[in-house]
Amino acid sequence: MKKGIKKAISTIAILTMTFQIGMPMVPGLQTTVLATDTINSVEENLEENIQSTADKVGTTELSESTDTTLTEEISRNYEIKEEETWDVSANGDGSVIAKWTLEDKTLTISGTGEMKDWSLDSKEDWHDTQYTNAIENVIIEEELTNIGSYAFSSCSSLKNINMPKGIIYIGPFAFYHCSSIKSIEIPETVRTINQATFNRCTSLENIMIPQSITSIEREAFAGCSKLKNVIIPESVKEIGEQAFFGCENLNNITIPEKVKSIGNYALYGCDSLISIDVDANNEIYISEDGILFNKEKTEIIKYPSAKSNIKEYVIPSTVISIREYAFQQCDNLEYIEIPEQITSIGIGAFYECTKLKNINIPSGITIIENSTFYRCTDLESIEISNNITSIGKNAFYECVNLENINIPESVTSIGERAFGEDNSLVLFAKADSIAHQYAEENEIGYVLDGDALNVDTNYEIKEEKTWNVSKEEDGNVIARWTFEDRTLIISGTGEMKDWDTVSAEDWHNTQYTKIIENVVIEDGITRDRK
């Protein structure tokens, strides 16, 4: 180190991923993780990865000493030198060299042939070291033909990248979480944007995709939250799963003529999407009023989340299937009319449609899938037909304005957290049905149609009920409950009795405490200590 140079490099291991999806991206994950029933476990894994990274990297301040041979206590992984070189050739023969210079914070890749691949857990060269936070510029010189997998992943300070025309391949996750890059120009010799190549480049605003690209693979731009406009070239034939997942500022996208496949969740979490346009000559897809369908219009694929000034939408009569997360976070829609002929509504179809007030479920639907109405917080009513046999996990999670649902006896399966937690929802159910059992097990209020064999009265809500609440237990003070108006009326003469915090009498410590909305104390009551 030169005398007087003071360098303090701190690692900030903050890996925050927020999709009003609730769905984080995990590098290397080989299965689709969008279904809400998997979100909790994915988030837990992500938190573990964050903590693990923080534990390994920590915060290290470099010595001010001029001695370049630092003490044995300091690992090479944490010493940032003025200059450093690594052999990064695919064959380990020194044909490709990476050279670091501290003065301009630049990593220069030079030589001939192929660069090697790294992995998520690599601890070689600059990976998993303080260099990943210090590198600001990358220059790849002529005669290099590829950029290896995970080559610059998590280089959080990387701002500029120069790629020569000779590059024909960029490996998966090559620029994963390069959160300071604002623009990238991909050479015209590249054919494929591989899996998660630019995943979580959260400052990326512009991307020039050349006409040579034929495939945009899964998660390629996932989490690029500042990306506003994407022009997909006419050469592209495939858009992979989650390709633009969580690009929350993306306004418009055009699907060109040759695209034959758009993967699930490709536009999930694109909260600012106003319109999806499709080339008129595309043989697989069609756009109507900015809404994406298959060519025959038998499936609605994606309704743009930010499509404005429309509160009601009638799904075309040709549609028989609603794709997973098709209306995800359509905050403007208050009413959606579903044609009777629809037989399939995908997972999370109306996920976080927060203003949706009511909706019909066609008789052809037999399953309410996982997270179908997840966080539809304004949903007030829904009718479940006798054809429904299963209600999936989180199906009505946090539908806080949904006061009651009639569950028919045809329902034989109800998933975890189907009706959320800690709400005032009341289930109307047949005695001894699955819904009755579910309500008791999950401490949800219920009203029974018919006598039950084993009723826990703490959780059964009657249409009408009375309790003797007089201090002397002589019946002089009566509490009367009516379900219709959610009202408890205290009437009679004299003193009401006392309860305590652990009381399990009358309405205390039961579902009634969650749904009583009104209390009327009539004249004649002289003591009120509820």
Side-chain angles (χ1 to χ4, degrees):
M1 292 275 181
K2 292 182 180 179
K3 184 177 277 188
I5 292 179
K6 299 181 180 179
K7 294 291 177 184
I9 309 294
S10 299
T11 297
I12 306 174
I14 301 175
L15 304 177
T16 305
M17 187 64 159
T18 305
F19 298 106
Q20 285 97 352
I21 277 114
M23 182 108 350
M25 301 302 301
V26 179
L29 196 64
Q30 297 303 309
T31 57
T32 301
V33 296
L34 272 291
T36 308
D37 57 297
T38 67
I39 285 178
N40 292 338
S41 61
V42 173
E43 287 180 341
E44 289 171 3
N45 290 337
L46 184 61
E47 289 175 2
E48 289 176 5
N49 290 340
I50 293 170
Q51 189 57 54
S52 174
T53 303
D55 291 343
K56 286 186 290 185
V57 180
T59 302
T60 303
E61 186 171 306
L62 299 183
S63 170
E64 296 180 28
S65 170
T66 57
D67 186 2
T68 58
T69 58
L70 300 183
T71 61
E72 291 182 357
E73 287 75 24
I74 297 180
S75 165
R76 185 201 67 79
N77 279 350
Y78 300 109
E79 178 192 358
I80 295 182
K81 296 182 179 180
E82 299 224 11
E83 292 187 354
E84 176 85 87
T85 59
W86 298 278
D87 177 1
V88 294
S89 56
N91 299 321
D93 58 5
S95 57
V96 181
I97 296 296
K99 181 179 179 180
W100 158 259
T101 54
L102 176 64
E103 185 176 2
D104 55 7
K105 297 185 174 62
T106 297
L107 189 68
T108 303
I109 316 291
S110 61
T112 58
E114 296 185 3
M115 189 187 302
K116 70 178 181 180
D117 292 318
W118 290 265
S119 68
L120 175 64
D121 299 320
S122 288
K123 302 184 190 304
E124 307 170 78
D125 316 314
W126 56 88
H127 292 77
D128 197 34
T129 72
Q130 293 296 323
Y131 286 98
T132 58
N133 298 305
I135 295 169
E136 293 186 4
N137 310 290
V138 168
I139 298 173
I140 301 175
E141 295 188 347
E142 302 289 342
E143 299 187 19
L144 265 292
T145 59
N146 79 305
I147 296 174
S149 301
Y150 289 93
F152 309 107
S153 64
S154 298
C155 287
S156 57
S157 297
L158 180 58
K159 297 176 182 177
N160 304 295
I161 173 76
N162 177 47
M163 289 184 275
K165 294 180 180 179
I167 294 292
I168 60 175
Y169 179 82
I170 302 174
F173 296 92
F175 297 96
Y176 170 76
H177 201 212
C178 290
S179 53
S180 295
I181 292 179
K182 291 188 176 182
S183 65
I184 293 177
E185 186 171 347
I186 302 171
E188 293 188 359
T189 44
V190 176
R191 296 288 180 267
T192 300
I193 300 178
N194 274 303
Q195 179 183 0
T197 302
F198 304 103
N199 186 310
R200 294 183 66 194
C201 289
T202 53
S203 293
L204 186 63
E205 296 177 359
N206 302 293
I207 182 79
M208 294 294 294
I209 303 177
Q211 289 291 334
S212 59
I213 298 295
T214 60
S215 176
I216 299 174
E217 293 194 352
R218 60 173 294 151
E219 307 171 29
F221 297 99
C224 293
S225 55
K226 289 189 178 179
L227 196 60
K228 292 183 179 179
N229 297 292
V230 173
I231 299 174
I232 299 177
E234 294 178 359
S235 55
V236 171
K237 298 178 181 178
E238 177 187 7
I239 299 173
E241 292 187 3
Q242 307 172 40
F244 297 97
F245 180 110
C247 292
E248 58 189 43
N249 280 298
L250 189 62
N251 292 319
N252 300 280
I253 192 165
T254 298
I255 309 300
E257 175 184 350
K258 294 180 181 179
V259 169
K260 305 297 182 187
S261 173
I262 300 175
N264 286 338
Y265 321 118
L267 299 172
Y268 178 94
C270 296
D271 304 337
S272 300
L273 199 60
I274 298 170
S275 178
I276 304 166
D277 299 313
V278 179
D279 188 288
N281 295 318
N282 190 291
E283 297 178 355
I284 308 298
Y285 302 101
I286 190 172
S287 175
E288 182 180 273
D289 197 24
I291 304 162
L292 182 63
F293 298 85
N294 66 340
K295 192 70 173 182
E296 295 78 17
K297 283 182 66 177
T298 57
E299 180 181 43
I300 183 167
I301 298 171
K302 183 63 179 174
Y303 187 103
S305 298
K307 189 175 177 62
S308 60
N309 301 321
I310 296 177
K311 294 183 178 181
E312 298 183 359
Y313 178 65
V314 178
I315 296 176
S317 59
T318 55
V319 173
I320 60 173
S321 175
I322 299 174
R323 186 176 283 195
E324 297 178 356
Y325 294 91
F327 291 89
Q328 172 253 343
Q329 290 180 331
C330 291
D331 292 337
N332 294 314
L333 289 175
E334 296 181 5
Y335 175 73
I336 300 172
E337 183 175 319
I338 305 176
E340 188 61 28
Q341 69 272 13
I342 283 188
T343 57
S344 173
I345 298 176
I347 290 171
F350 306 100
Y351 184 99
E352 289 191 347
C353 289
T354 56
K355 292 183 180 177
L356 189 64
K357 295 185 183 299
N358 55 72
I359 195 167
N360 61 302
I361 300 178
S363 58
I365 299 297
T366 59
I367 297 174
I368 298 177
E369 295 281 4
N370 297 343
S371 308
T372 301
F373 300 100
Y374 185 94
R375 285 184 182 157
C376 290
T377 51
D378 279 3
L379 189 63
E380 295 175 350
S381 64
I382 192 162
E383 187 171 327
I384 298 176
S385 74
N386 291 325
N387 295 325
I388 300 294
T389 60
S390 176
I391 299 175
K393 296 178 182 179
N394 300 299
F396 297 95
Y397 188 87
E398 290 191 10
C399 293
V400 293
N401 277 314
L402 195 59
E403 294 185 348
N404 54 77
I405 303 180
N406 185 28
I407 310 294
E409 205 167 6
S410 59
V411 173
T412 58
S413 172
I414 300 177
E416 295 177 6
R417 302 179 303 277
F419 303 101
E421 301 165 348
D422 192 29
N423 57 45
S424 59
L425 177 69
V426 176
L427 299 184
F428 285 79
K430 292 285 185 181
D432 302 315
S433 65
I434 291 295
H436 176 193
Q437 178 183 337
Y438 179 90
E440 285 197 336
E441 290 176 352
N442 292 274
E443 300 185 359
I444 293 176
Y446 62 85
V447 175
L448 294 178
D449 178 11
D451 294 327
L453 297 177
N454 296 293
V455 177
D456 182 342
T457 54
N458 281 346
Y459 301 114
E460 180 189 3
I461 296 175
K462 301 285 190 181
E463 298 273 359
E464 291 186 358
K465 190 168 179 63
T466 59
W467 295 278
N468 176 8
V469 294
S470 58
K471 183 180 179 183
E472 303 299 331
E473 298 184 358
D474 54 9
N476 286 340
V477 181
I478 296 295
R480 186 175 74 254
W481 156 258
T482 52
F483 176 75
E484 185 177 2
D485 55 7
R486 308 287 201 280
T487 298
L488 189 68
I489 299 175
I490 314 296
S491 61
T493 56
E495 297 185 4
M496 189 186 302
K497 68 178 180 181
D498 293 318
W499 292 267
D500 56 35
T501 56
V502 295
S503 288
E505 304 173 81
D506 314 316
W507 57 88
H508 293 77
N509 199 30
T510 73
Q511 291 299 320
Y512 287 97
T513 58
K514 294 183 178 181
I515 66 168
I516 293 172
E517 295 180 3
N518 310 291
V519 172
V520 177
I521 301 175
E522 296 185 347
D523 292 339
I525 306 300
T526 59
R527 188 168 184 256
D528 176 10
R529 294 184 182 175
K530 296 198 310 299

